[in-house]
Amino acid sequence: MAEAPQPNSTFPRLVFFILTGIPGLGGAQAWLTLVFAPMYLLALLGNGALLLVVQVDSTLHQPMFLLLAMLAATDLGLATSIAPGLLAVLWLGPRPVPYTACLVQMFFVHTLTAVESGVLLTMACDRAVAIGRPLHYPILVTKARVGYAALAHALKALAICVPFPLLVARFEHFQAKTINHAYCAHMAVVELVIGNTRANNLYGLTLSLAVSGVDILGIAGSYGLIAHAVLRLPTREARAKAFGTCSSHICVILAFYVPGLFSYLTHRFGHHTVPKPVHILLSNIYLLLPPALNPLIYGVRTKQIRDRFLETFTFRKGQ
């Protein structure tokens, strides 16, 4: 339970918070816009182009590419939920954000992160069926089932992430208006609360372990099945081709989970060893790096998408 501050520093029923960006950098944090602005631009252009390509090309209306479109839509939402405010804080300095808008951003960041983790799990299962049971793939993996999976991920994310803003909204007093962060992260807001925040801490920890842990175990199990199926193939060329179909997905998984795991560990266990500015920087990279990299990874490594990109966004020699 937080200690009660002096009466003149208590703020009941806040109308707005003030986001400071990355503490300790001062005016130097404006230079970080040279890093995050291109990342956001890549996320917008790359994922927007990927969605357009899948939409206009009927040959790509297949489960694997519909899953890619689902991932691109999630990445667009995730990047847009954080990048505009982040760039404004870095470039213009501390800025106010309405209390309600802060809770809404908190909800969308957590929800879209949970959806993306679920989509990556579904993509791993898709590859496991495609490699392990290729003859049954058209029967087992259909467009309708992809749609059901998308709906299930959305409902699951809504159910588990709605409590985040609600757990904060129940508090009536805050010890400060200033959030030492670049966006309305759940724990950054909870640090300002006057009251018992044990429920917030336990829910955040349990949710992180449960959602990410279950998805990571599912992905690991899927790749265990993939490895078992690939190693049974008779030739080295066949094994290399089978593994090659998973290479893009493996890169996307690493881009999403490695920065996220490092950010989580530094937040939970590195308070005294990792400076807070480093942790905040990592948390922003974790949210913006995957949306920027994912369309590049699939655009370069997936032949159908790469060819369609070239046909759509360049003039062919005949023209």
Side-chain angles (χ1 to χ4, degrees):
M1 182 178 296
E3 295 181 3
Q6 298 299 321
N8 59 4
S9 63
T10 301
F11 299 90
R13 295 294 183 184
L14 285 176
V15 177
F16 63 88
F17 289 109
I18 297 175
L19 292 171
T20 63
I22 301 176
L25 296 184
Q29 67 181 355
W31 291 99
L32 290 176
T33 56
L34 299 177
V35 176
F36 290 114
M39 291 171 66
Y40 183 45
L41 184 62
L42 276 175
L44 288 179
L45 296 179
N47 290 293
L50 183 58
L51 286 171
L52 178 63
V53 165
V54 174
Q55 180 183 8
V56 300
D57 191 347
S58 59
T59 64
L60 298 181
H61 294 177
Q62 304 172 27
M64 184 181 78
F65 299 108
L66 294 178
L67 287 171
L68 289 183
M70 193 190 311
L71 181 66
T74 305
D75 281 336
L76 269 178
L78 184 59
T80 302
S81 68
I82 181 177
L86 167 66
L87 295 175
V89 170
L90 294 179
W91 186 253
L92 302 175
R95 57 184 291 271
V97 56
Y99 176 78
T100 302
C102 186
L103 297 184
V104 169
Q105 183 187 49
M106 182 190 304
F107 167 75
F108 275 106
V109 168
H110 286 289
T111 300
L112 292 171
T113 302
V115 170
E116 178 143 353
S117 182
V119 171
L120 293 178
L121 171 60
T122 305
M123 295 173 74
C125 296
D126 171 79
R127 291 299 84 202
V129 175
I131 294 174
R133 303 185 67 181
L135 297 179
H136 298 88
Y137 180 81
I139 301 173
L140 296 175
V141 183
T142 63
K143 290 189 286 186
R145 288 180 176 174
V146 170
Y148 294 145
L151 179 60
H153 291 315
L155 292 177
K156 180 195 74 172
L158 286 172
I160 63 179
C161 293
V162 164
F164 275 113
L166 295 182
L167 285 172
V168 174
R170 66 194 175 99
F171 293 105
E172 297 184 355
H173 293 82
F174 296 82
Q175 56 186 318
K177 294 181 178 181
T178 302
I179 301 176
N180 291 317
H181 212 294
Y183 67 94
C184 292
H186 175 247
M187 293 311 300
V189 177
V190 169
E191 289 177 356
L192 305 181
V193 165
I194 297 175
N196 191 337
T197 60
R198 180 173 297 178
N200 300 70
N201 295 326
L202 288 178
Y203 190 78
L205 177 61
T206 303
L207 186 65
S208 299
L209 294 177
V211 174
S212 299
V214 169
D215 290 345
I216 290 173
L217 287 176
I219 291 171
S222 298
Y223 273 95
L225 296 175
I226 290 172
H228 178 71
V230 168
L231 293 176
R232 296 173 61 186
L233 295 175
T235 65
R236 179 179 298 178
E237 291 76 12
R239 291 193 291 270
K241 183 178 180 180
F243 270 127
T245 63
C246 302
S247 59
S248 297
H249 185 246
I250 293 173
C251 292
V252 169
I253 289 173
L254 294 176
F256 181 76
Y257 283 111
V258 171
L261 181 61
F262 193 68
S263 176
Y264 174 81
L265 292 176
T266 56
H267 175 72
R268 291 292 176 182
F269 308 109
H271 291 292
H272 303 294
T273 57
V274 179
K276 189 168 185 177
V278 174
H279 165 67
I280 295 175
L281 186 62
L282 286 173
S283 66
N284 285 280
I285 291 175
Y286 161 58
L287 294 176
L288 284 177
L289 184 62
L293 289 183
N294 290 349
L296 295 179
I297 293 171
Y298 279 108
V300 170
R301 302 189 66 87
T302 306
K303 184 179 185 300
Q304 297 96 319
I305 292 179
R306 183 173 66 247
D307 293 345
R308 191 57 180 164
F309 265 129
L310 295 176
E311 292 176 7
T312 304
F313 298 105
T314 64
F315 292 101
R316 287 174 288 183
K317 291 182 180 180
Q319 297 174 322

